[in-house]
Amino acid sequence: MAVTYEEFADSRLSALLRYAVMLTGDPNTAEDLVQETMLRVQLHWWRVARSDSPDAYVRKILTNQFIESRRSSWWRRVLLRADPDPVVASSTDHAAETAERDRVWALLAGLPRGQRAALVLRYYEDLPDREIAEILGCAVGTVRSSISRGLDALRAELVEAR
Amino acid sequence: MSNIEEELRAAFERQEAVVPEAGSVRSRIDLAWVGVKRRRAKRRAFGAAAAVVLVAAAVPVVTTFAWHGGQPGQEDTVVANSATSAPPLVTDAAPIDVLLIGGDHRAGAKTPRADTIVLLHLPADRSAGWMVSLPRSGLVDVPGKGRQKLATTLALGGEQLTARTVEALTGVDLDAAVVVDYAAWRGITRAVGGIDMCLDQAIPPQDGRAGLAEGCQRIDGDDVSPLLQGQAGLKQASIDRDRNAQRFLAALAKKLAADGTATSPVRINQLLAAAGGGLVYDGNMPMLLRAAAQLKTSELIGLGEPVFTSTADGEIVDSAQWKSLYQAIRDDRLAKWAAANPSFVND
């Protein structure tokens, strides 16, 4: 076991936090998710350490936890945050642009978690289908269809909104 | 690159501004970890109690590691309640494999040794519990340590190494591994007022241990070591000793199920106290307890090789027949396998 938990946490924690923020859309929820994940990782460190890629393994744990946690009010929080932004109609281009981006974010929040995770892994983490499938524990074909369905949904909503 | 993909990337990028700083999160995690460790110390106690319940329900186990088929997680948060709650209506459709290690800290020896190594298999249909005895002198490839006897893995790397070795040998993903020492078995045996079982041959006295007579008898605390450790003078030495261990576990399970201990928290706590520190449990208790509760009988069926294939270095445990047994465990069709290999079935 070359890597210790400490070394892993030192080198990977920032990246995990970024990933968690993209998944959850909220820094506080992301912190909770990462904390919960890292506690589990410590509990089972020997098993994590002997896996082919501790990093991928931990990402998988975090992703599963995100997909499975029902209580999380992430989407509600995001929607609530997106809602009181009818300042959308405000005057400056900048505000409009910001609102437009928030719109993407809010739409993302409305997608099923598995699709969201697939989109984050593809368009934020830039991972190939095979690795995404590994993390999500599904077939490569499923990853592709999740991503394309996710994109379709976003596209449709955005077009409708415009 | 379509527009929506660009927008998505931009949205993610913008969100990077709110990513929390790693240092403070690290401190939070470290603090929380202290709390987890404290709770875990308590949970070990619960776990030990639960382990006894498992014995009662035909799953004799003791220290564990929770492995969830590659998904660490689902910590045991409902241990206290699940011990006494009714079996859930929905059954878990997965087979469960637990490694039971009867180890010992011998007087004068610094490192523990594994005497009894049993792979406990609960089929998905929970029709019975299966005990597969692996010979302690079985020659195995120990991860990172070359070819060794299975028993030495406990001293080389604790139950984790033993479990990893068994996983490598059998291809079975273990859900838990449990270690029990003789003191704990003695304590439990005393606490239940002895265990009734039958021996098909006498166990001669050895190394200062008393012997046991042939025939049906009550095994008391003091008889546990002679029973579980005695092998010299038996017709088939360690094969017969492993069979005695299986008989003992089966009889204990039956006893605990019959006298209601399985469902009495008070009795469980008494047993826990009796087991003392020799019974360590640490694992995914809800899953195991659910599985135990779903078992349809308190019957444990023992499997083991009728005649060892020995070399000068140890026993062969990866012959075609053993491999077919491991395959049967993986495929969850032990009943069929046992029917086809009746000589492996212990009675």
Side-chain angles (χ1 to χ4, degrees), chain B:
Chain B
M1 174 85 30
S2 75
N3 191 30
I4 188 70
E5 289 172 308
E6 294 287 6
E7 289 194 38
L8 207 45
R9 284 186 199 275
F12 285 139
E13 211 168 292
R14 204 170 76 91
Q15 203 66 12
E16 283 194 330
V18 302
V19 173
E21 196 261 317
S24 66
V25 177
R26 180 75 193 275
S27 311
R28 243 185 76 182
I29 293 170
D30 291 345
L31 198 64
W33 177 240
V34 174
V36 168
K37 278 196 290 194
R38 206 175 290 142
R39 282 196 301 279
R40 263 162 70 85
K42 279 189 209 155
R43 200 152 51 208
R44 274 172 200 275
F46 275 129
V52 175
V53 176
L54 292 181
V55 171
V59 191
V61 269
V62 195
T63 149
T64 17
F65 261 71
W67 306 310
H68 320 96
Q71 287 182 21
Q74 300 138 317
E75 256 312 314
D76 18 337
T77 47
V78 297
V79 169
N81 298 331
S82 55
T84 50
S85 61
L89 294 173
V90 183
T91 58
D92 293 353
I96 287 179
D97 294 286
V98 176
L99 191 66
L100 171 66
I101 303 164
D104 196 16
H105 293 268
R106 287 204 174 72
K110 283 200 187 71
T111 49
R113 280 191 36 183
D115 278 334
T116 307
I117 299 164
V118 173
L119 204 167
L120 195 81
H121 177 84
L122 304 186
D125 64 10
R126 306 289 187 254
S127 50
W130 294 85
M131 300 178 285
V132 177
S133 285
L134 298 169
R136 73 173 169 185
S137 51
L139 279 176
V140 290
D141 291 319
V142 181
K145 312 271 184 190
R147 200 128 171 106
Q148 306 262 1
K149 285 188 183 175
L150 187 53
T152 60
T153 54
L154 194 61
L156 286 173
E159 68 274 13
Q160 300 182 7
L161 185 62
T162 308
R164 283 158 57 196
T165 304
V166 170
E167 282 187 332
L169 172 70
T170 61
V172 174
D173 269 340
L174 295 171
D175 298 292
V178 181
V179 182
V180 196
D181 71 8
Y182 293 111
W185 285 127
R186 273 197 294 278
I188 291 172
T189 305
R190 283 197 191 102
V192 300
I195 293 165
D196 296 316
M197 60 180 286
C198 302
L199 295 174
D200 59 354
Q201 59 182 311
I203 300 175
Q206 190 198 352
D207 297 346
R209 290 190 304 270
L212 289 172
E214 182 185 337
C216 297
Q217 55 198 296
R218 171 154 298 182
I219 297 296
D220 292 315
D222 292 337
D223 301 328
V224 168
S225 289
L227 176 70
L228 296 181
Q229 288 181 276
Q231 88 173 54
L234 297 183
K235 284 175 207 149
Q236 291 199 85
S238 64
I239 288 185
D240 288 341
R241 200 215 35 213
D242 283 351
R243 297 201 148 185
N244 284 338
Q246 290 186 345
R247 290 190 183 106
F248 170 77
L249 293 172
L252 176 59
K254 198 185 248 176
K255 169 102 186 187
L256 293 181
D259 74 3
T261 299
T263 52
S264 161
V266 175
R267 292 280 296 130
I268 289 165
N269 277 327
Q270 287 168 351
L271 277 193
L272 166 60
L279 191 145
V280 189
Y281 203 108
D282 171 11
N284 185 7
M285 289 311 301
M287 180 197 66
L288 290 176
L289 285 169
R290 273 199 308 278
Q294 290 159 2
L295 275 177
K296 296 184 177 109
T297 68
S298 65
E299 189 184 11
L300 282 178
I301 303 160
L303 297 177
E305 194 169 30
V307 180
F308 284 154
T309 318
S310 300
T311 69
D313 298 324
E315 317 297 342
I316 302 298
V317 289
D318 50 9
S319 61
Q321 197 168 24
W322 275 110
K323 282 182 178 160
S324 75
L325 173 55
Y326 304 146
Q327 183 71 47
I329 299 172
R330 293 201 295 273
D331 296 347
D332 195 22
R333 44 174 184 78
L334 270 182
K336 215 177 204 173
W337 190 91
N341 298 270
S343 65
F344 266 66
V345 180
N346 184 15
D347 46 37

Side-chain angles (χ1 to χ4, degrees), chain A:
Chain A
M1 315 276 157
V3 192
T4 66
Y5 167 79
E6 277 70 28
E7 287 164 357
F8 179 83
D10 285 343
S11 64
R12 301 303 305 160
L13 192 58
S14 311
L16 285 172
L17 278 166
R18 284 197 296 276
Y19 176 52
V21 165
M22 300 313 153
L23 281 182
T24 63
D26 172 78
N28 294 324
T29 314
E31 263 194 49
D32 290 347
L33 183 61
V34 169
Q35 174 173 327
E36 192 59 29
T37 300
M38 291 303 269
L39 291 179
R40 289 181 181 189
V41 164
Q42 270 184 94
L43 275 176
H44 304 283
W45 179 249
W46 71 275
R47 188 162 192 139
V48 175
R50 80 181 162 130
S51 66
D52 293 337
S53 163
D55 191 46
Y57 197 67
V58 171
R59 232 166 250 266
K60 186 170 177 165
I61 298 172
L62 190 146
T63 310
N64 281 338
Q65 213 163 314
F66 164 68
I67 292 175
E68 281 158 22
S69 64
R70 304 216 170 279
R71 61 190 154 72
S72 163
S73 56
W74 168 66
W75 56 275
R76 249 178 285 137
R77 230 177 279 168
V78 173
L79 289 179
L80 286 177
R81 194 147 40 94
D83 264 352
D85 264 351
V87 198
V88 169
S90 88
S91 47
T92 71
D93 284 352
H94 180 69
E97 198 179 317
T98 304
E100 184 57 34
R101 280 174 180 177
D102 276 348
R103 176 96 195 127
V104 174
W105 203 249
L107 289 175
L108 198 56
L111 295 180
R113 285 168 184 238
Q115 277 182 26
R116 223 147 58 213
L119 289 175
V120 172
L121 290 165
R122 159 56 49 79
Y123 295 107
Y124 182 70
E125 300 286 344
D126 284 321
L127 293 182
D129 289 341
R130 189 178 41 78
E131 284 177 40
I132 297 176
E134 180 61 29
I135 288 173
L136 294 177
C138 64
V140 171
T142 314
V143 169
R144 291 192 184 125
S145 66
S146 287
I147 290 175
S148 87
R149 264 184 287 130
L151 290 179
D152 286 347
L154 292 182
R155 206 175 280 127
E157 298 260 9
L158 279 179
V159 166
E160 198 176 299
R162 272 165 195 158

